[in-house]
């Protein structure tokens, strides 16, 4: 349903390279870190996987600023959510010459239950699309870190739920460089699937500049509430991550 593996001349992968205001590819620390991460990689796929694993290792959390957070700032902050980690992921992929972009979808807020309550409000979720082997691959398994996932899965098991705490219990937890990998929803649970495909953009700033689409504006509202509650969200996320074994 949400696969976008075909592309046309109007969707030239070369369009999805290079810098933007948020994708600050000239940031020295960012460039050095990418070189260190990928120095032993032998192929674009290996580079993409190594970068994915680095992004995933950063703690899941809310950067308490607007969505105009540059990739270099995300790296220095050392944590992020789907928007900010996605910005950093795209920047690092582009630095090694891999076409990449963010795809935005609308998800039920149920997957964030236990962290933030937004009943009846759709959440705008960002995932990265990576062009490898002549196909676009969707990936968002980097959003939550392993330590947080382990505790979140325990809590879901205790409550008997499959969706909550930012993850889906039956979704994928990692990406190996082939195909797509989703951590917040799964095809086996149709209720968890995106409600709407909101399109692609270089970064969140580009996406939210589109004020013509009412549904995008609705998504921005939920995003604004997320950012406003950043301190509470980070407290809850850290409490889950460091909770008892």
């Amino acid at each position: 349903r949400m696969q976008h593996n075909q592309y046309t001349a109007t969707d030239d992968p070369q369009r999805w390279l290079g810098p933007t205001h948020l994708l600050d590819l000239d940031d020295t620390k960012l460039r050095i870190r990418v070189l260190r991460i990928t120095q032993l990689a032998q192929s674009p796929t290996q580079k993409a996987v190594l970068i994915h694993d680095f992004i995933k290792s950063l703690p899941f959390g809310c950067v308490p600023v607007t969505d105009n957070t540059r990739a270099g700032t995300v790296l220095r902050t050392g944590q992020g959510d789907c928007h900010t980690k996605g910005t950093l992921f795209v920047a690092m992929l582009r630095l090694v010459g891999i076409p990449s972009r963010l795809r935005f979808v609308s998800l039920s807020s149920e997957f964030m239950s236990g962290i933030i309550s937004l009943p009846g409000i759709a959440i705008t979720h960002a995932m990265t699309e990576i062009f490898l082997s002549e196909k676009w691959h969707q990936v968002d398994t980097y959003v939550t870190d392993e330590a947080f996932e382990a505790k979140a899965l325990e809590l879901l098991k205790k409550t008997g739920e499959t969706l909550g705490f930012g993850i889906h219990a039956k979704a994928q937890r990692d990406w190996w460089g082939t195909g797509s990998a989703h951590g917040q929803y799964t095809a086996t649970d149709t209720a968890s699937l995106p409600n709407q495909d909101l399109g692609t953009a270089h970064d969140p700033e580009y996406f939210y500049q589109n004020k013509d689409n009412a549904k995008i504006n609705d998504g921005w509202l939920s995003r604004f509430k997320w950012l406003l509650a950043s301190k509470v969200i980070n407290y809850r996320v850290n409490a889950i991550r460091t909770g008892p074994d």
Side-chain angles (χ1 to χ4, degrees), residues 43-92:
S43 68
T45 297
Q46 288 181 8
K47 290 179 181 179
V49 170
L50 287 169
I51 294 171
H52 167 277
D53 292 352
F54 170 75
I55 302 293
K56 186 175 181 68
S57 73
L58 300 176
F60 170 57
C62 185
V63 178
V65 290
T66 70
D67 279 307
N68 297 334
T69 308
R70 308 183 84 182
T73 301
V74 181
L75 178 63
R76 288 171 176 81
T77 303
Q79 70 175 31
D81 57 20
C82 64
H83 284 56
T84 46
K85 277 193 170 189
T87 299
L88 180 58
F89 194 17
V90 169
M92 287 186 161

Side-chain angles (χ1 to χ4, degrees), residues 20-34:
T20 66
H21 174 244
L22 298 192
L23 304 176
D24 48 346
L25 307 189
D26 59 348
D27 184 287
T28 302
K29 185 173 182 178
L30 184 63
R31 296 173 69 90
I32 291 172
R33 182 59 64 92
V34 172

Side-chain angles (χ1 to χ4, degrees), residues 2 4 102-107 122-126 194-201 207-208 210 213-220:
M2 294 298 298
H4 296 269
L102 292 180
R103 180 169 294 276
F104 295 83
V105 298
S106 175
L107 290 177
I123 288 182
T124 301
H125 176 62
N195 302 317
Q196 187 181 17
D197 182 346
L198 300 174
T200 56
F207 176 72
Y208 288 108
N210 183 357
N213 189 326
K215 290 185 172 60
I216 287 179
N217 288 330
D218 288 344
W220 181 87

Side-chain angles (χ1 to χ4, degrees), residues 4 12 59 133 185:
H4 296 269
D12 183 355
S133 303
Y185 60 89

